[in-house]
């Protein structure tokens, strides 16, 4: 959501942008819903930790898309909203944003165990432990948002929480302490995820060179590489403030349109590409999707008696 666009857009331009955002959000969540339906319709997936982590990534992105689109539309239609409701939305969108890379790290660790410790995989990566790990991800992912709220209550007076606010993160969390905390937490989280991805990739690569049958190891190595691509897509969101800053100062006449395009390319579109990169590539998952959602045509041949 960009406050500058909301303040400068005309009625028709704002209407078109909101229609585009809502339409893309519906399309992306509809496609992701196909993966979710396929997962819950086939018991074979719910017994595999790899698919459980994958579908959690998809559902997490669906929540993030829904809340992000809602915040964008609210910036035009309901400029001032209840403070508690706004904090809830911002906490949810921030938490889901932080969980995405952490989930990718978990998927990379699962592949690392499957290839480098195959005899222990079925004991370590059980569905029950996977669900516990997902709960842990939500706890860790919520820490930055909850810390922002604690900082807010410790630095602001109680009267500042009563009136409706513009539901925009820099306005709700305005202090320098919030900005520094956001920067440090994102650096720490992303550094940890990149370390896990690089470590697991190198170990799987080393195992693949020693293996007599390299098919599974090479496939796992390629999968972890795709996790890296997915992480890069997630990190596109970090480019938004930098690109907006450049546009405002160097292309002021096109500020609203370019910031809207950047928002689409860095926050919305990657949430579609990320699940497709993994889900459509998996042959088992792709087969089940085709079976469930492909239209079947039956031809009845009538033989005269």
């Amino acid at each position: 959501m960009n406050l500058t666009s909301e303040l400068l857009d005309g009625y028709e331009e704002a209407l078109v942008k909101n229609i585009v955002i809502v339409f893309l959000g519906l399309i992306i969540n509809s496609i992701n819903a196909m993966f979710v339906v396929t997962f819950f319709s086939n018991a074979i997936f719910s017994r595999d930790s790899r698919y459980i982590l994958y579908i959690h990534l998809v559902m997490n992105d669906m929540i993030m898309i829904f809340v992000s689109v809602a915040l964008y539309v609210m910036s035009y239609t309901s400029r001032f909203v209840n403070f508690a409701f706004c904090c809830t939305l911002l906490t949810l969108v921030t938490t889901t944003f932080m969980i995405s890379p952490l989930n990718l790290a978990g998927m990379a660790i699962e592949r690392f165990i499957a290839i480098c410790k195959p005899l222990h995989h079925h004991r370590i990566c059980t569905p029950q432990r996977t669900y516990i790990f997902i709960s842990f991800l939500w706890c860790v992912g919520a820490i930055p948002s909850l810390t922002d709220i604690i900082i807010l209550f410790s630095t602001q007076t109680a009267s500042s929480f009563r009136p409706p606010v513009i539901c925009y993160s820099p306005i709700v969390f305005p202090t320098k302490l919030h900005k520094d905390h956001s920067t440090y937490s994102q650096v720490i989280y992303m550094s940890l995820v990149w370390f896990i991805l690089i470590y697991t990739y190198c170990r799987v690569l080393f195992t693949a060179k020693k293996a007599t049958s390299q098919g599974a190891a090479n496939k796992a190595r390629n999968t972890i590489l795709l996790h890296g691509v997915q992480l890069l897509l997630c990190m596109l969101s970090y480019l938004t403030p930098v690109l907006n800053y450049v546009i405002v100062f160097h292309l002021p006449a096109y500020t609203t349109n370019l910031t809207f395009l950047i928002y689409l390319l860095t926050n919305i579109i990657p949430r579609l590409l990320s699940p497709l990169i993994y889900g459509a590539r998996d042959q088992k998952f792709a087969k089940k999707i085709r079976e469930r959602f492909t239209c079947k045509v039956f031809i009845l041949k009538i033989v005269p008696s």
Side-chain angles (χ1 to χ4, degrees), residues 81-83 86-88 90 148-149 152 156 161 165-175 178:
V81 299
N82 179 269
F83 180 84
C86 176
C87 281
T88 302
L90 292 177
D148 280 336
I149 294 176
L152 184 67
Q156 304 292 322
F161 307 136
V165 295
I166 299 175
C167 201
Y168 187 48
S169 185
I171 295 177
V172 178
F173 306 119
T175 66
H178 282 109

Side-chain angles (χ1 to χ4, degrees), residues 2-289:
N2 188 276
L3 189 62
T4 304
S5 297
E6 184 268 329
L7 292 174
L8 298 179
D9 286 342
Y11 173 77
E12 292 183 358
E13 188 175 355
L15 180 62
V16 170
K17 289 180 179 179
N18 278 273
I19 290 174
V20 170
I21 286 291
V22 172
F23 178 75
L24 284 177
L26 289 174
I27 292 296
I28 293 172
N29 273 357
S30 296
I31 293 174
N32 287 342
M34 293 172 59
F35 291 97
V36 175
V37 171
T38 302
F39 173 85
F40 287 105
S41 300
N42 296 271
I44 187 174
F45 295 132
S46 61
R47 296 193 294 266
D48 193 325
S49 58
R50 175 164 62 118
Y51 293 108
I52 295 174
L53 287 172
Y54 165 68
I55 210 62
H56 174 253
L57 175 66
V58 173
M59 295 174 69
N60 180 79
D61 284 350
M62 290 178 69
I63 296 172
M64 182 180 172
I65 283 287
F66 177 80
V67 179
S68 180
V69 170
L71 286 171
Y72 189 91
V73 174
M74 284 169 55
S75 69
Y76 287 89
T77 58
S78 302
R79 188 174 170 188
F80 293 95
V81 299
N82 179 269
F83 180 84
F85 179 64
C86 176
C87 281
T88 302
L89 292 179
L90 292 177
T91 298
L92 189 56
V93 76
T94 303
T95 301
T96 51
F97 175 78
M98 300 300 288
I99 285 176
S100 287
L102 295 175
N103 197 102
L104 291 173
M107 294 168 73
I109 293 173
E110 188 276 332
R111 286 294 84 196
F112 160 74
I113 296 173
I115 298 303
C116 299
K117 301 181 182 296
L119 298 179
H120 302 282
H121 180 263
H122 71 283
R123 180 174 56 85
I124 298 174
C125 299
T126 62
Q128 292 77 13
R129 290 187 175 183
T130 304
Y131 289 121
I132 293 174
F133 176 73
I134 290 173
S135 301
F136 173 74
L137 290 185
W138 277 90
C139 293
V140 174
I143 290 176
S145 300
L146 296 178
T147 304
D148 280 336
I149 294 176
I150 293 173
I151 294 172
L152 184 67
F153 278 94
S154 61
T155 57
Q156 304 292 322
T157 60
S159 59
S160 61
F161 307 136
R162 295 172 185 170
V165 295
I166 299 175
C167 201
Y168 187 48
S169 185
I171 295 177
V172 178
F173 306 119
T175 66
K176 184 179 183 298
L177 194 58
H178 282 109
K179 184 177 180 181
D180 293 341
H181 164 258
S182 177
T183 302
Y184 294 146
S185 62
Q186 290 175 359
V187 169
I188 292 172
Y189 277 50
M190 288 301 170
S191 298
L192 174 64
V193 173
W194 275 115
F195 172 78
I196 292 174
L197 288 181
I198 293 172
Y199 174 78
T200 53
Y201 176 78
C202 292
R203 288 294 304 271
V204 169
L205 182 63
F206 182 72
T207 302
K209 290 182 178 179
K210 296 194 304 180
T212 54
S213 177
Q214 298 185 354
N218 288 334
K219 186 176 180 180
R221 182 193 63 189
N222 294 334
T223 299
I224 294 176
L225 268 180
L226 287 178
H227 294 339
V229 174
Q230 289 175 282
L231 184 58
L232 287 174
L233 291 174
C234 292
M235 293 181 68
L236 285 176
S237 300
Y238 295 123
L239 296 177
T240 304
V242 178
L243 295 175
N244 288 343
Y245 178 84
V246 172
I247 288 171
V248 168
F249 282 92
H250 296 281
L251 297 169
Y254 305 98
T255 297
T256 58
N257 292 330
L258 289 178
T259 52
F260 173 72
L261 181 62
I262 289 171
Y263 174 74
L264 288 181
L265 295 178
T266 60
N267 291 273
I268 301 298
I269 302 300
R271 304 300 160 181
L272 169 64
L273 298 179
S274 183
L276 285 178
I277 286 175
Y278 189 88
R281 177 177 172 269
D282 187 273
Q283 295 180 357
K284 187 186 297 183
F285 215 99
K287 180 182 177 182
K288 294 297 182 181
I289 289 178

